Amino acid sequence: MLSGGQALMECLLAEGVDTIFGYPGGAIMPIYDALYDYTDRIRHVLVRHEQGASHAAEGYARSSGRVGVCMATSGPGATNLVTGIADAIIDCTPMVAITGQVASHLLGTDAFQETDVIGITTPICKWNYQIIDPDEIPEILAKAFFIAQAGKPGPVLIDITKDAQTKLMSKKFEYKKVEKLAGYHPRRVPKIEQVEKAAEMINNAKRPYILFGHGVLISEAVKEFQAFVEKTDIPCASTLLGLSGMPIDHPNYMGWLGMHGMYAPNVMTDECDVLIAIGMRFDDRVTGDAELFAKQARIIHIEIDPAEIEKIKKTEAPVVGDIKEVLNLLMPLVKKGDYTAWKNEFRKLEPEEKLKVTDRDLGGSDQIKMAEVVKMVSDKTKGEACVVVDVGQHQMVAARYYQFKKPHSYIASGGLGTMGFAIPAALGAKMGAPDRNVIAFIGDGCFQMTIQELGTIAQSGLAVKLIILNNNFLGMVRQWQQLFFDKRYSFVELQNPDFITIARGFGIDGHKCTERESLEESIDKMLNHQGSYLLEVVVEKEENVFPMVPAGRSVSEIRLE
């Protein structure tokens, strides 16, 4: 008979898990003892902080399309996972988090490192469960992996008491993957009458417009979506997390929209007659004032989670189902329209944006601009790298100036906006897609949130390229204080350390670029380096990111300067 710890390892193998991100501790030590005998089949990545484990699991899941797995001990170990779990639920990232817990007879006694992790994580998990009997482990783990992936993906947490890890099972280990679960029936195939109504609205539209989001990538429907766009000839734009769901040079792709998105995609939402929302949730960073957003349009909303339908915007034609299934059913029903004049209306707005935003971002200053760095990296990698970003100005600049050519190429903390996301997520992304070039753009403030994970990257032996865009400010907060708080710069200026020396202390080579004349040479050196590398680029200190829709305002009020 297997112990609970051994049973857990067998469950992970049965689910095809090859990588775990974690940190050992007292309450999870029996599981780590069992893992000792499985290191030839399961790779464990020792992070430097449990938050790094959950973000790395996110990066792994986002680049590979598989479930990310992380582990931590009880108490502070478990609570340190919480930020990554919350990030995963809002960005629909499949994750299984496994935590150790005090022995079952100590539950509720405030024992050493006891925390009610089930109570803490209930609002931010698709499901969580506490195991106190090793016989439960196979069934509960099978459910966990099914729920993490089924329907709208998300995190699941399994808490295992220490005695359940050490005790032997009372029966022979048997593992059965869950294919369906009583009481949980996410709809994959939509109702045909919903599809037919959507097709009728699309075929009768004069100025249709597609807004697509992360759901297109999650459902692996990139090919189907592109075929749908090409058959109908409808212009489309992406949300921030929808980036890379459509090649950036596709003639129907108008850019991305949202608070710092492109000018034309934002403005034209107020001009369409039918808005086709695919795998997006009308987040406030997309809509601004939701009551004013596309108020003239009839809305079709294609979404796997029925809870998202009409949560924000009234929908005339909801279609609940997996995007790939929906598009396959829509394709025979939709017709090609003549939208040349309609698409030209988007293009007419582009020169003004180029003059006021792009030309300014790519020059006109003695100091290096963030956009220059991103564009040069994009050109040299031909838009094919997997780009991981942190949160802030650099996040928006990377979204604008990296020319994405391949799916699953923009990995960001979208809904939660977690500073410190990028370093561990980049490591996880590289492990999930080892053959891809993984490049992280990080602000100097964000970098110091999880700087300790440089040790994890160095120990992993993988080539992760890290670029700090250093303006010695919490740039986005400073921008808001400048624009909306009368330039009252309250605690946003940073006295930064010597990042390159710190990186070398961890065993990662790097250098600092301060002059435009040496920028290209610096980027080439980073890209050609065989292992992990840190490039710090000192950029313009008080640069602002535009366009910008002020918070709570209509997208028609977007500012170019």
Side-chain angles (χ1 to χ4, degrees):
M1 298 300 174
L2 299 180
S3 70
Q6 292 170 323
L8 176 65
M9 294 302 116
E10 292 293 336
C11 293
L12 296 177
L13 287 176
E15 288 289 347
V17 173
D18 58 13
T19 304
I20 302 171
F21 304 92
Y23 203 96
I28 201 169
M29 207 171 293
I31 286 175
Y32 271 86
D33 183 66
L35 177 60
Y36 187 87
D37 294 323
Y38 288 80
T39 51
D40 58 332
R41 288 160 285 177
I42 299 176
R43 181 176 190 175
H44 179 272
V45 180
L46 178 62
V47 297
R48 299 313 190 254
H49 187 285
E50 292 89 353
Q51 182 180 342
S54 52
H55 289 324
E58 287 186 274
Y60 178 93
R62 296 271 288 274
S63 70
S64 70
R66 303 169 66 189
V67 177
V69 179
C70 56
M71 294 198 312
T73 193
S74 64
T79 58
N80 284 342
L81 292 177
V82 166
T83 299
I85 294 170
D87 199 273
I89 192 71
I90 203 164
D91 283 349
C92 307
T93 303
M95 176 196 294
V96 172
I98 299 163
T99 54
Q101 185 54 275
V102 300
S104 56
H105 72 279
L106 293 174
L107 290 172
T109 67
D110 292 332
F112 178 67
Q113 291 192 332
E114 181 194 2
T115 299
D116 180 10
V117 70
I118 297 298
I120 290 170
T121 61
T122 294
I124 56 170
C125 283
K126 286 188 73 178
W127 182 59
N128 60 17
Y129 189 88
Q130 186 174 78
I131 295 176
I132 61 174
D133 182 344
D135 287 349
E136 294 183 289
I137 288 175
E139 178 186 357
I140 296 304
L141 265 292
K143 286 183 180 179
F145 277 88
F146 173 77
I147 293 171
Q149 300 171 86
K152 178 195 281 188
V156 171
L157 181 135
I158 304 301
D159 193 43
I160 310 177
T161 61
K162 193 169 184 178
D163 51 324
Q165 300 170 39
T166 57
K167 287 180 181 177
L168 296 180
M169 297 179 66
S170 65
K171 55 188 178 182
K172 184 179 179 181
F173 176 86
E174 184 178 2
Y175 192 82
K176 293 181 180 179
K177 284 191 177 185
V178 172
E179 304 293 338
K180 59 182 180 179
L181 196 60
Y184 182 58
H185 305 289
R187 179 179 288 278
R188 288 187 56 81
V189 180
K191 296 178 180 178
I192 192 62
E193 58 267 27
Q194 292 183 338
V195 176
E196 290 172 344
K197 182 173 182 180
E200 180 184 5
M201 286 176 59
I202 292 168
N203 291 335
N204 292 330
K206 303 299 182 186
R207 297 156 72 90
Y209 184 20
I210 298 170
L211 301 184
F212 70 93
H214 195 197
V216 169
L217 293 157
I218 292 171
S219 65
E220 298 292 347
V222 170
K223 289 182 180 178
E224 289 80 1
F225 176 67
Q226 187 169 330
F228 174 76
V229 169
E230 291 171 354
K231 181 174 182 180
T232 59
D233 199 34
I234 297 173
C236 66
S238 74
T239 65
L240 186 69
L241 292 189
L243 283 168
S244 79
M246 175 70 82
I248 203 162
D249 55 359
H250 193 283
N252 287 65
Y253 182 64
M254 302 299 161
W256 63 284
L257 81 170
M259 178 174 280
H260 291 285
M262 306 293 195
Y263 184 57
N266 274 299
V267 170
M268 298 310 284
T269 56
D270 285 346
E271 302 297 329
C272 64
D273 63 344
V274 172
L275 183 65
I276 308 160
I278 304 179
M280 55 88 72
R281 56 187 179 86
F282 294 103
D283 177 76
D284 63 290
R285 283 298 191 262
V286 167
T287 65
D289 187 335
E291 291 187 6
L292 299 177
F293 183 80
K295 64 180 181 179
Q296 80 293 338
R298 304 168 70 194
I299 295 178
I300 299 166
H301 194 179
I302 300 171
E303 168 64 45
I304 197 166
D305 183 2
E308 295 293 348
I309 303 294
E310 297 201 336
K311 186 175 79 174
I312 305 294
K313 293 294 294 183
K314 183 172 176 57
T315 303
E316 188 168 335
V319 185
V320 179
D322 180 79
I323 291 170
K324 183 179 287 192
E325 300 283 354
V326 174
L327 292 177
N328 284 334
L329 290 172
L330 266 177
M331 281 292 282
L333 304 179
V334 293
K335 302 173 183 177
K336 189 177 185 70
D338 181 7
Y339 303 123
T340 303
W342 170 227
K343 288 187 289 184
N344 285 340
E345 291 190 35
F346 286 81
R347 301 303 184 196
K348 288 176 184 177
L349 297 175
E350 292 176 356
E352 184 179 5
E353 182 174 16
K354 181 179 184 302
L355 176 66
K356 293 184 177 180
V357 178
T358 309
D359 291 348
R360 180 193 62 219
D361 285 353
L362 294 173
S365 172
D366 293 336
Q367 302 174 69
I368 301 171
K369 298 269 197 169
M370 290 182 283
E372 293 178 77
V373 183
V374 174
K375 185 178 185 302
M376 190 174 289
V377 172
S378 178
D379 291 344
K380 289 182 177 294
T381 57
K382 300 179 181 179
E384 295 184 348
C386 177
V387 173
V388 182
V389 295
D390 226 292
V391 174
Q393 290 179 319
H394 68 277
Q395 178 186 27
M396 303 304 159
V397 173
R400 173 175 287 268
Y401 292 102
Y402 196 91
Q403 304 293 296
F404 299 99
K405 299 291 178 63
K406 297 178 69 173
H408 303 288
S409 291
Y410 183 78
I411 297 177
S413 171
L416 197 63
T418 305
M419 291 179 67
F421 172 84
I423 299 178
L427 166 69
K430 183 65 174 177
M431 290 190 160
D435 296 332
R436 296 197 66 183
N437 193 0
V438 174
I439 300 172
F441 292 99
I442 313 171
D444 47 311
C446 295
F447 195 83
Q448 294 175 80
M449 291 265 183
T450 50
I451 194 170
Q452 70 278 354
E453 298 308 332
L454 292 178
T456 312
I457 289 175
Q459 190 168 345
S460 75
L462 297 177
V464 180
K465 312 300 184 183
L466 307 168
I467 302 174
I468 301 176
L469 299 178
N470 184 1
N471 58 13
N472 289 102
F473 265 121
L474 301 178
M476 188 63 85
V477 182
R478 185 211 56 78
Q479 177 171 334
W480 278 55
Q481 289 178 346
Q482 175 187 333
L483 297 177
F484 308 116
F485 292 87
D486 299 322
K487 296 185 179 180
R488 291 162 59 85
Y489 295 155
S490 182
F491 302 103
V492 288
E493 190 163 8
L494 296 169
Q495 184 175 339
N496 287 322
D498 184 337
F499 292 118
I500 303 305
T501 297
I502 291 172
R504 287 176 177 158
F506 279 110
I508 295 175
D509 200 4
H511 75 279
K512 183 175 184 177
C513 174
T514 60
E515 303 295 333
R516 180 176 284 111
E517 291 73 19
S518 62
L519 179 60
E520 183 170 9
E521 179 184 355
S522 296
I523 290 173
D524 285 339
K525 186 176 181 179
M526 175 196 71
L527 293 175
N528 293 329
H529 188 79
Q530 292 301 306
S532 295
Y533 198 88
L534 174 63
L535 172 62
E536 177 188 356
V537 183
V538 178
V539 297
E540 185 173 327
K541 191 172 176 66
E542 295 189 44
E543 181 181 0
N544 288 336
V545 175
F546 289 101
M548 181 178 185
V549 180
R553 307 289 284 274
S554 165
V555 293
S556 64
E557 298 178 78
I558 187 170
R559 297 174 53 170
L560 290 174
E561 54 188 2

